[in-house]
Structures are given as C-alpha cells and as structure tokens.
Amino acid sequence: MKTVPKHVLVAGGGVAGMEAAGALAEMGYRVTLVEKGDDPGGHLLQWHALFPDRRPADEVRSYLRKRAGHHNINIITRTTVEKVRHHPGGVRVILSGGTEEEADAVIVATGFDLFDAHRKEEYGYGIYDNVITSVDLEAMFNRGRLEKADGTVPSRIGLIHCVGSRDEKVNNNHCSKVCCVTAVKQAIEIRQMLPSCEVFCFYMDMRMYGPYYEELYRESQEVHNVNFIRGKVSEASVNINNRLVIKVEDTLAGRPLKMELDIMVLMVGMEMAESGAKLAEASGFRQGINRFLESGDHHYGNNLSGIKGVFYAGTCTAPMNITDTISHARAAVAETVRYLKA
Amino acid sequence: MMSATGANKFGFAINRSRMIDYDSSDRKVREYITSREPSFRLCFACGGCTATCTAGQHTSFNLRRMNTYIRRGEIEPLREEVTRCMLCGKCLLVCPRGVNTRNVVAVAAEAIRKLERNEL
Amino acid sequence: MNSDLFVIPFNLGLYFILIYSVVRSVAWFRSLSRPDKLRLQRGFFGRPFMDSLREIFMESLLHRKIFRKNPVLGYMHMSLAFGWFLLIVFGTIEADFFGEKHLNPPSHAIFFRWFNPEHGAEGLARIYNVWMDFLLAFILSGLLLAVIKRFTPRMMGMKKTTRHTWTDRLALTSLWLIFPSRLLAESFTCGAHGSGSFLTGNLGSALASFLPAAEIAPWFWWLYSISLGTFFFMLPISRYFHIPVELFLIFMRNSGITTGDRHSSYTEVQTHACSSCGVCISVCQMSYAAGINDIQSAYFIKGLRNDRDISAITANCLMCGRCEEVCPVGIELGPMRLIERRQGERADRTLSLPERYSVMRKRSVTEKVPTQSYGYLVREEPEKAEVLFFAGCMTHLTPSVIAAMKRIMESAGVKYRFMDEKGGVCCGRPLMLAGRDREARELINHNSDIIWKSGAKILVTSCPICYKVFRESYYLEATVMHHSEFINLLIEEGSLRLGYLHRKVVYHDPCELGRGSGIYEEPRAVISYVAELLEASQERSMSLCCGGSLGNLTLASGKKAMIAADAARILTMSSPDELITACPLCKKTFVQATKTKVSDIAELVAAALPAPSKRVARRRSARATVRANDAG
Ligand SMILES: Cc1cc2nc3c(=O)[nH]c(=O)nc-3n(C[C@H](O)[C@H](O)[C@H](O)COP(=O)(O)OP(=O)(O)OC[C@H]3O[C@@H](n4cnc5c(N)ncnc54)[C@H](O)[C@@H]3O)c2cc1C
Ligand code: SF4
Ligand code: SF4
Ligand code: SF4
Ligand code: SF4
Ligand code: SF4
C-alpha cells in the first residue's frame, strides 16, 4: 500500500534550511523550501574561507546545493514566510503576496541578521572611508584585493571585536560566538596576503569555544605574528594625514592607548533576523531576552517551538557556527519525523 | 585630623606587600558604592571608559582600574585619582555594560572621603 | 446682643492672620539682600506694584494659567478664589450700603444676614440678594468639584494628587465647612424671617417648613464663624499658606528679584508659595514614563518646606525644566533644585513645634565639600582664530556631526579653528548640574583662558550643554553660538548654497537649547530651509526630555531607556523620514530607542550641500595619499 508522502515546509534557505530540507527529502518526505532572497545559501554565500580550517566556503556551499537539489524538494525563492498557524489538519503557512501553503509540519530556519555597523556611530562606519566590516573584508578576500579606499596598500589593520554584541548601548547583551574566531581567521588571511601589513585584534575576551579554535589562535601568534590588545575601542577619528586614529585602553598595561590604522575592520555580530522576528510576532513564537526564538527547553527541547508541528533549526534560535547549525538542523529533522510518525 | 585607625589604614601603604591580600582587604568602600550605585557590579573591565575619558587625556585617572582596585579593596592608590573626573559623561555613552559610571566616581569620592574621616 | 458672641472665633482668626502676615512679610523683607531690598522698595512705588495687582487678579483669582491647562481644574480654583473674593467685596458693599451705619467691622459684612435678617424684601436689595446668592452658588459649585477631585483625582484629568498632613486636613476640613455652613446659616435665618433669594430663601423656607429654623440658625452661624476662624489659624501651618504667600511672591518677582544661587528669603517665599497643585507631577516624564513617583517638584518643595533630608529626591531629576514651564505659581524649580544640590549633607529631622511656627526658618547653607580638583590641567597657547569651533565632549562620540560641521564651514568658507579637535576639557556644566560649582569654576577658567587667547569673535559649539554654560557662566568677548544658530547665520548672509531634500522630518528641542536657552526659532528656520518640517505634539517649551540628561547623576540606564522610548514614540507619531535633534546626547539616546533615522541638524544641512564633484574628490584623496607618503 502506497501512502502519500507527508509535506514539510522549511522557512528560510540558509545552511539550516538547506540541510533540513535535504535530510527530509532523503527520507522520502515532500519538502517546500521557501527562501526570501534570490538564491538559497543564506549568509554562507558571502564567506570566502571558513574557520577553523580555512577551507574554501565553496566546498560547503556545493555540499548544501547538492543536498537541496534533491527531487523531493521544491524551492521557492524571493518569497517570505509571513505567518504559520497550526490547525487540526496540519499547519497553514502564509507567504508574501498572500499565497497560502498547507503542510504537515514546518521547520523555521530564518537565520540571523548582521549587525548594522552604522549604529555604532563612534566607530565611523559610513563616515570614514577606511572603516569596513568583517563582511566587507570577506568580499575583499573574494575579490582577491585588499586595499584602502584610495587604492593604496595598507600597512596596519586593526580588527575590532564585539561590534554590536555584548553591548547594552545597541540593546544586544549577547555574545555572537563566531566573531572572535572569525577575527583570528581574518587576521591570518591578511597576514598571508600582505606579509608586510601589521595586524592588531582589539578584544574584550577571546572566546575560542570550538574545536581547533584555540589552536588557530595559537597559530596566529606563533606563525603569523598577529597582535592582540585587550580593550574595547571607544571611538575612531581621522588625523590630518587622513589616517584613522583609534582610542582604546590597553587594559593589561593599564593605560589608554592611541593607534593609527590604515583600515579598521568591525567584527559585526549576529542579531535576530528582522524577517524572523516578524514571523514570530505574527505566529506567536516566543522570543528570548536576546530576541532570538526561545525554544521549549534549553537542554532537551532545543528544536521545539511550543506550537504543534512547528520546529526550529539553526541561528534563528541563537548564534552558532556552521557545524552547530547543521547538527541543529538534523536534530530538527529528527523531531519533525518523530512528530509526523506519531 | 585622622583618627588612629584611619591613619593606620593608610599607614600600611609604606611597607605594603606587592600582593593583594584579599582576606585582609577593606571592603567597606566597595560595599558603600554597590549599595548606592548597584550598576557598579556590572563592570567587566573592558576599558572603554578609560579610552574615551576626558580627564584621562590630561592625567592618570583610569576608571576601569579604579573599579578593579575598589573591588579588590585597594583604596590607597585611588585617593588622589578619584578627584580628577570632570563628570563630563563620555564614559556613560561608551560603557557596554550600562554602568552608571559618573555616579560610581561621585560615590567613590564620597566613600573615600568618609573612609578618611573614619565615617564609613 | 449676647447671641452675637459667635463672631469671636472669626474675629480672633482674622486678626491673628493679619498680624501674622505683617510680621512674616517684615521678616522676609529684612533678610533679603541689600540689592533685593532696594528692588522691592523701588517696586512698591513703581510699575511692578501695578503689574503685580494685575497678575494677582489674573492668576491668583482667575487662575488663568491653570484654566488653560485644565479648564475644569481652573474653574474649581477660580470659583473658590474669585467667588470668595467677590463675596467679600460685595458683602462689604452690601453692609456699607444697606447696613445701619457705614464703615462696619469686617464681621458685620461677613455675618450680614444675621444682623439684618429681614433684609432684601423688595427693590434694589432684592436684586442684590439674587446676586449674593448667585455668588454663594458659584463658590459651592467649585467646592463640589474640589470634593470630587479629592476622592477621584483621575476624573479631574489629574494623574496624581499630592498627599496631606494632619494640619492640611484640619485646614481643608474647615475650608470645606465654611461655605456649606454659611449656606445653612443664612437659609435658616431666612427661613425664620421669610427673607432670602433663590438659594437661601427657597432652601430656608423648605427647612423651616419642618424644622424650628430660628432655634437652629445660631448653631450654624457658630459653625460658620468657627470654620473661618480655624481656617485662618491653620493657614500658616497648612498648605493653604501658599495663598497669601503667593501674593507676596508675585510682588517680589515683579520687582525683579530672582532665585540666585543660594537660599534666601526668596527661596523661602517660593517654597511656601507652592500650592501643591500637582501640575508639575503630571508633566514629569520620570513619573509617567519611568514610574518614579516620589521625586517630582511638588515633593521636592514639600521636603524643603518640612526640612527633610531630600538629597535623593534632589539628585534624581532630569533637570529638564518641564515642570518649571507649567508651574502656575511660577516657582523657579530648576534653580531651586540646583541650590539644594550644592548643599552639603543634612540630616533628616522632623521640625520641632516652635520651628514649624517660627516666622523665618534658617536653612543650613553649608556648601558641599569639594571632592574634585583639576590642578593637573596645563595652560594652553592656542592659535589665533576668528571663529572657534568647540565640538564638546559628547560630540566626539557622534563623529558624523563633526564631519558635517566641517563640511558646512568649509563650504561656507569659514576660517575656523577646532578648539577641541584632539579632545578638550569639559565645559563645566555637568559639574554645575551636580551642584559642584566651585569645581566647575576651575574648568571654566581653563577654557575661558583658551578662548580669550584665541581672540575669537564667534565661539560655535555643537553641544547645547556647553552652549548654555558658555553663555551664562563664562565671561567672554566672543559671541557664543550653537551650531544651529551659526548655520542659520550662514544661510541668512548667503554664504551657504543648499539644495532641498525631499524628506519629512520632526525636530526635537533639546532641553538645554530650548527651555534652557530659549533657542526655538533658528533650528526650525534652518530645517525648513532644507526639508519639510512636521509638527510634533510636544514641542518648543513643552518638548520632551530624551532621558539621557546629564542633569541626573543617579538614574539607572534602564529607566533612561524607558523615558527615551516613550519620548521617541511620541516624536515619531507622524511617521517622519527622520528625527532631527541638535544635541549629541539626544542623538545617542534616541538612536537606541527608535527605528526612525535620527540625525543632528548639522547632518541634515550637510546632506543638502551640493555634492563635491567626482574629480575634485579624487584629486583631494590623491593629495592626501601624497601627503601620507611624505609623512611616512
Ligand atoms: C562574519 C561571519 C563569518 C562567519 N564565518 C563562518 C565560518 O567561517 N565558519 C562557520 O562555521 N561559520 C561561520 N559563520 C556562521 C555562519 O554564517 C552561520 O552559522 C550560518 O550562516 C547559519 O545559517 P542559518 O541557515 O541558520 O542562517 P542564515 O545563513 O542567516 O540563513 C537564513 C536564511 O533564511 C532566509 N529567511 C529569513 N527569514 C525568512 C522568511 N521569513 N521567509 C523566507 N526566508 C527567510 C534568509 O534570507 C536566509 O537566506 C560566520 C558568521 C559571520 C557573521
Ligand atoms: S565571539 Fe568574541 S567578538 Fe564575538 S561577541 Fe563574542 S566575545 Fe565578542
Ligand atoms: S565623566 Fe569622568 S570618568 Fe567619565 S569620561 Fe568624563 S572625566 Fe572621564
Ligand atoms: S566601560 Fe563600563 S564595563 Fe567597561 S571598564 Fe568602563 S565601567 Fe567597566
Ligand atoms: S511646584 Fe508649582 S506646579 Fe508643582 S505643585 Fe507646586 S505650585 Fe504646583
Ligand atoms: S525637571 Fe523634569 S524630571 Fe525634574 S521634576 Fe521637573 S519635570 Fe520631572
């Protein structure tokens, strides 16, 4: 006897959404993957090489593309999931433009938004030419050219940690987890590209929480001569030579420090996605004090939304790296299947 | 005029050991400040305030260090320093922990004055 | 004749309050400073006296200001004050005109009906009677509202009402009893004699129809007299003391006396002139936006009056000035608070009885022990400049404001020097707001020295906090201008070429610039020149505080955020493209509180500057590189 395969809708086509869709499709479920942007891939589309091993991001992208290319998956792009509602027959999903979809279960994988560096005005993003974000730096790596706005080669670059994270002034008290190690990774890449360029990381705490992260940190010092200064940069300005000047306290030396830089890179953090928050509001999902989606249980129910047939996957619940995002997506799939079989 | 105990307290400075003796440290100032300005507890020693400090451009005043010293009960090095803040409020706009920095300085100055007069 | 004894309580009370007023006025006068005494003497024989009479009529009797804010409340105050006033005036005329002899003692006017029970049967007197009854009814309608307000303040549009002490309660009770007892006294007398008009006559005959009116009447005349007497006796030690004191205050103010910077009999008079009306409470954002309900000016003044330790109340205020703006008595609440902030520690104590009744209470005037000192500042030798630009401490954390000012001044060809380009010394205002004037002086002297030496004609600042102190507490030759004024000047003299931005914006008046310094028009002129300016529901003198005020040393960041969120919500109600302010601190505070784009007025103007042509820009940056290479 052949039964009609159950239908799962995945909201958001980033790492989490693609992995979840792929895993479900492989098990024979019918999947609709709805992505707001032009293509699935999420933030991963912007990265050049990945920590901790600096493998090309393309390798992971092609893995995910293959996974989401399964014939059981129907990908709808340029479409936003606006609301989901459980009813006795399943879950009704309202998409942008007013179209409705009927599904047996929904996985929410709406991801994160990058912190908008303009909001930290004192760092001068958008005001001074050579203030860029870690994302802009990835774009430079992708282009294979690392230069100042006027086309000259930088001789000193500073990486500023915790921009938009751990900062009550921008209403974000949480740690974004990935930016410390991203800074170390990027510092190494800069040193490899421009061996004569000095690199400084300005950090409050080095949060090397993942496997091989601490080793990467060590390597950056041992092999690549990256400098680390413990202190939060308070502000930046430009001097008459049009060079950036930052103010920071070298808290380990116990004295304020001023330094000229050619390029200042802001390690922007992760925030709850705006489109995810709208979906949450419309659908009655709980949001935590960090505004990310709050799951049913922090320890053993991390994929549960509290609404029947709706599950969470990836960074819509908290900042995480790709490894954890993929694991989290697979766990969401396990919960979904358990629900559908019950 | 300093009372005997008050003089004693600061008298230790002459041959104070290099080590912070936490167990015999004076917690009165810390307690006074925390009770009057609870946000004092939030400081995570990032140094943002010190980096931006208007007074710190002209003198050795260092709010981050002051916070740390007070927590450790090391009051002696602060007696001079605490008088130098201008209450300008720049640090307030920078502090990522929302410490009410200006009031911390104001209350600390008050506490140290009281300690000297043996009123704490 | 024996039955006329009931006038004694009234007479005692009246003579007591008259003598008391004279003694207290003399005491206050004597402890004024010499210049203030002169002002008052000159005022007595000049225009100030007439002005005061007019003001007393408009404010103390008609309560015009309260009327405008809250018509029901205004009517309540007016009917009681003006109605009573008219009752006395027309009562006196009545007694003089219809009484047996001229120039009666006051009790004859007040208790006219008792002495002339048959009066008003016909002719003119009959019409006059209608008028007197009407006045009584007028007062009673106000009294009814007062009773309603006392028990359900919300119905009167009041968010909060002030708390009462036992003396207040006794005074209040006697005040409330005055007019009902007069009504009943007159009615019983009229009922017994078949006289009286529509109110007393009708009520009187109704009561007389089933009660022995003639026997009951004296009881109510006694009650009437006792209520009046008690009220007069309680007056100096209850909140109603403000009524006579306010008259004195009006005269002092019209004579040119101001609060100054220390306690004086003027602060004492202001303290007692507060009517505890609570208007200041309902406009205070600390109350309705941050839920802090014990620091408002009414409580502050009350604490002063009772000589409590109010240091926490005094400190926990934004110094936004909204309450001062609405205070119907015109108490200078900001300066009063600053004086109190300058005070050293004072123990909390309850007043002893003699102190409570004493004519003049000496407030301790110990100044705070200085805790700060800036001997470390080194004198500077600045370069000469026509225009000096002082960004201000805070502005260094809003670099887009500095960048915008630089572009504007360059575009207008202004030759300026950037006084605090590498970071300057604080202007001193934050210290003054904390009641540390002596220490602020050190900073003021340091900065003044630099400004004088630069020979500048104009001192431009981007920070309203600096602006206020430069204007008020610095002795300078240079004209002090906030950048909004300066940009307005540049536009007016035609040195700025600006395009028009198709944006709808709302302007927020920063406290220190608007209420603090009276600059409302220039920023609006500038904005209207480059964009469409929408109106905000609370603007100009009733503009909201952003919550970030440096005037409050103790407020926690969470509470500030609540005030900011509420203010931002109200300001962006018309969904503007941008929220414009003119203060770096407001900008920083609002950015955190709203999704609407927040910009400084200088940024808005810089956006309207013609874009530098590409070629020039490239040439400039090429030059910069060459210079950088040279330097390297
Ligand atoms: C600067 C930076 C560098 C990083 N580098 C690395 C690295 O080197 N190695 C590593 O392991 N990790 C790295 N990460 C972390 C990695 O980017 C994340 O773990 C990963 O992108 C999370 O995937 P996601 O699917 O949860 O979210 P996202 O990548 O944000 O994807 C979410 C997708 O959902 C879509 N979407 C959102 N809302 C809706 C909606 N309502 N309807 C439809 N679609 C919607 C979005 O358009 C988006 O495509 C980095 C992160 C940052 C910030
Ligand atoms: S990971 Fe590092 S840089 Fe990122 S928020 Fe946490 S501590 Fe800051
Ligand atoms: S308020 Fe005091 S500690 Fe803070 S920046 Fe100003 S001078 Fe420094
Ligand atoms: S900025 Fe705040 S958290 Fe950082 S050191 Fe200063 S007081 Fe502490
Ligand atoms: S201070 Fe002014 S507004 Fe406030 S209660 Fe007194 S009189 Fe009314
Ligand atoms: S100045 Fe402002 S904060 Fe202070 S009491 Fe008046 S209205 Fe409230």
Side-chain angles (χ1 to χ4, degrees), chain A residues 120 122 166-169 173 204-205 230-235 247-257, chain B residues 44-53 56-57 61-62 64-65 90-99:
Chain A
K120 252 347 241 176
E122 53 268 49
R166 306 178 71 198
D167 186 351
E168 77 126 58
K169 293 291 180 296
N173 287 333
M204 300 200 287
D205 296 288
R230 187 185 177 281
K232 182 174 175 68
V233 173
S234 69
E235 70 222 69
K247 281 197 195 174
V248 64
E249 186 197 1
D250 185 331
T251 58
L252 301 180
R255 278 161 62 192
L257 178 147
Chain B
F44 61 5
C46 71
C49 49
T50 307
T52 202
C53 181
Q57 300 224 328
F61 178 64
N62 183 324
R64 195 263 320 145
R65 191 175 53 202
K90 269 186 95 182
C91 48
L92 208 59
L93 292 192
V94 165
C95 178
R97 271 301 179 90
V99 175

Side-chain angles (χ1 to χ4, degrees), chain A residues 141 146 155 157 184-200 220 223-227:
Chain A
F141 290 147
L146 177 49
S155 60
I157 296 181
V184 171
K185 182 208 75 164
Q186 292 187 332
I188 294 174
E189 287 172 296
I190 295 169
R191 292 284 298 151
Q192 285 177 326
M193 246 173 125
L194 305 171
S196 64
C197 180
E198 286 180 290
V199 180
F200 290 83
S220 75
V223 184
H224 306 284
N225 224 337
V226 176
N227 302 288

Side-chain angles (χ1 to χ4, degrees), chain C residues 283-286 295-297 317-323 337:
Chain C
V283 296
C284 181
Q285 292 166 268
M286 290 282 282
I295 60 90
Q296 284 68 23
S297 289
C317 154
L318 302 162
M319 300 301 287
C320 70
R322 274 166 64 84
C323 50
R337 236 184 241 257

Side-chain angles (χ1 to χ4, degrees), chain A residues 12-16 34-36 42-43 47 49-51 79-81 109-112 114 134 178 182 275 314-315 320-322 325:
Chain A
V15 177
V34 184
E35 166 56 43
K36 174 166 68 79
H43 285 95
W47 312 151
L50 303 178
F51 60 74
T79 306
T80 308
V81 177
T110 48
F112 65 96
L114 288 158
S134 47
V178 299
T182 300
S275 50
T315 52
M320 43 181 112
N321 62 13
I322 293 171
T325 302

Side-chain angles (χ1 to χ4, degrees), chain C residues 274-280 297-298 301 327-329 331 333:
Chain C
C274 166
S275 64
S276 305
C277 66
V279 174
C280 53
S297 289
I301 295 279
C327 173
V329 180
I331 301 173
L333 296 164

